[in-house]
Structures are given as C-alpha cells and as structure tokens.
Amino acid sequence: MQLQVAIDRVSLEKAVSLAKQLDGVVPIIEMGTSLVKDYGFDGMVAMRKAINHSKLLIDLKTIDEGQYEFEQGFKAQADLLTVMGASSKATLDTTYETAENASGTMMIDLLEIDDAKIKLISNYPNAVYLLHHSVDRADHIDVEQAVTDFTNQLPQVKHVAVAGGLDLQAVKQLAKQGKTEIVIVGSKIIKSPDIIKSAKEFMEAIQ
C-alpha cells in the first residue's frame, strides 16, 4: 500500500516547501485542486521541480475537455492525474487513452456517483479507482466496509484508492485488510506540528 499526501489550500510557496520536505519520505505527493485553480500550469511546473524522488499526483478533477487537461498535466510531468467519475464515458475514454500514451496513470474520483455509473466505467485496467468521502459531508463512513463492498461488486478493478478524513487508525485498518493500493491523507499530516514525523508514522502504519 502507498501513502499519498495531499497539499491543499496554502500558498504556492508553502506548497513547494512542503513538497520538498516530503520528497522521498512518502511515495506520492498530491498537488490539491485548490492549488491547481489558484496557480494553474505554472504552479504545476513549480511543484514538479520541487519533487525529485516521490511521484506527483495533480488533482485536476477533470470533468470535460479531458484530452487537453490531461495533456497539460502530463506536459507538467505529473505521474498521476484525476478525472471525475461523473464525467461522460467519452471524456473518461479520452483521458485514459491520454494517460496510457503518456505512460502516466489516471485516477478516477468516484465522489457521489451511483453504482450503475461505477459499473459502466469499471473497464479501465490501469486506472486507479478512488473511493472519496467528501469533506463537506458531516457524516462518517466505515471505509474498510466500503472497500470490501466495492471490491466484492467489482472484482475486475485491481487498483483502489481511498480518501476523505483518514486518520492513523483507519489507515492501519485498511493496511491490515490489504485491498487498498493508495491511501490519501491531507490535514492529518500537513497540519501536524511535525509533518515529517507524522508522515513517517503513517508510513509505518501501512507496512
């Protein structure tokens, strides 16, 4: 299992500093959607320059203009890019093809889409499928059960990620379960007093 640390809602200068600190400490560093919206393509390039050892995920949350947005993301040398599962099948087809041609990875954000749509778009063998619980929601979910239900319903999906308020205990449970490829943690690391210490604690939890 891999740990992805999300950097979001900070200045680009701060994001670059955080990325440099986390580079090589965690497998994947995420440039969050707010940073993409605030700083655009130049911000993507700046984040890439800050990262030499970890992979870079740029959370584009593409919903349309799939080929163009993914080409731009991979032009900035991202390793992984996100597309919304709510996109049209045509958009998902083109983002997947663009990712494959760039030797990159497409992550499909399944936020708030129903089982019928998920089944319809479950045919991308190299894509990562992200089970994402919105931070705007007040309720909580059993992430371990959600992963079990998802993998039982869609055994053809081989790459599963989980995001949304994950703490150390939840990550330990997912690691023990062994069905999740990527766990995404944001504020529990980025807002901690010692981000390197916190990141290493999460890394130990997934071993």
Side-chain angles (χ1 to χ4, degrees):
M1 190 162 74
Q2 297 183 79
L3 174 63
Q4 176 176 313
V5 178
I7 302 174
D8 229 335
R9 297 180 295 281
V10 295
S11 69
L12 182 59
E13 181 180 16
K14 178 67 171 178
V16 166
S17 174
L18 291 169
K20 287 180 177 178
Q21 292 176 67
L22 291 165
D23 187 27
V25 177
V26 300
I28 307 171
I29 298 170
E30 173 188 330
M31 179 184 187
T33 310
S34 69
L35 293 176
V36 176
K37 290 184 176 181
D38 286 343
Y39 301 105
F41 183 79
D42 290 343
M44 297 182 204
V45 173
M47 289 293 285
R48 176 74 275 175
K49 288 181 178 178
I51 299 168
N52 298 305
H53 305 289
S54 301
K55 291 182 178 180
L56 171 64
L57 178 141
I58 298 178
D59 193 10
L60 293 177
K61 286 188 171 66
T62 291
I63 194 75
D64 195 12
E65 296 286 345
Q67 181 177 352
Y68 177 77
E69 292 194 2
F70 264 46
E71 285 178 347
Q72 290 296 96
F74 289 123
K75 183 180 178 181
Q77 298 184 40
D79 298 291
L80 306 95
L81 298 171
T82 63
V83 60
M84 299 306 293
S87 302
S88 70
K89 186 67 164 56
T91 294
L92 289 159
D93 286 344
T94 193
T95 51
Y96 185 70
E97 181 179 359
T98 304
E100 291 289 288
N101 289 339
S103 299
T105 300
M106 174 175 83
M107 180 180 284
I108 306 174
D109 191 326
L110 303 176
L111 185 67
E112 297 294 328
I113 64 171
D114 60 28
D115 291 344
K117 180 62 182 291
I118 294 174
K119 185 176 181 179
L120 177 67
I121 64 173
S122 63
N123 61 325
Y124 305 107
N126 296 323
V128 177
Y129 288 77
L130 171 60
L131 303 182
H132 187 180
H133 190 64
S134 171
V135 297
D136 291 332
R137 291 179 57 164
D139 62 334
H140 298 278
I141 63 167
D142 182 337
V143 290
E144 190 175 358
Q145 187 61 51
V147 171
T148 295
D149 293 342
F150 181 83
T151 54
N152 285 345
Q153 292 169 11
L154 299 166
Q156 71 272 29
V157 172
K158 303 303 180 185
H159 309 287
V160 177
V162 178
L166 296 181
D167 58 17
L168 197 59
Q169 185 58 37
V171 168
K172 287 179 179 178
Q173 291 173 345
L174 290 171
K176 184 177 180 180
Q177 182 188 44
K179 296 181 178 182
T180 302
E181 185 169 311
I182 299 172
V183 287
I184 302 173
V185 179
S187 60
K188 291 290 191 299
I189 293 176
I190 296 302
K191 292 184 179 180
S192 65
D194 187 334
I195 67 165
I196 300 302
K197 179 182 178 182
S198 181
K200 288 181 176 179
E201 288 175 347
F202 275 90
M203 285 297 294
E204 290 173 2
I206 67 176
Q207 301 303 319

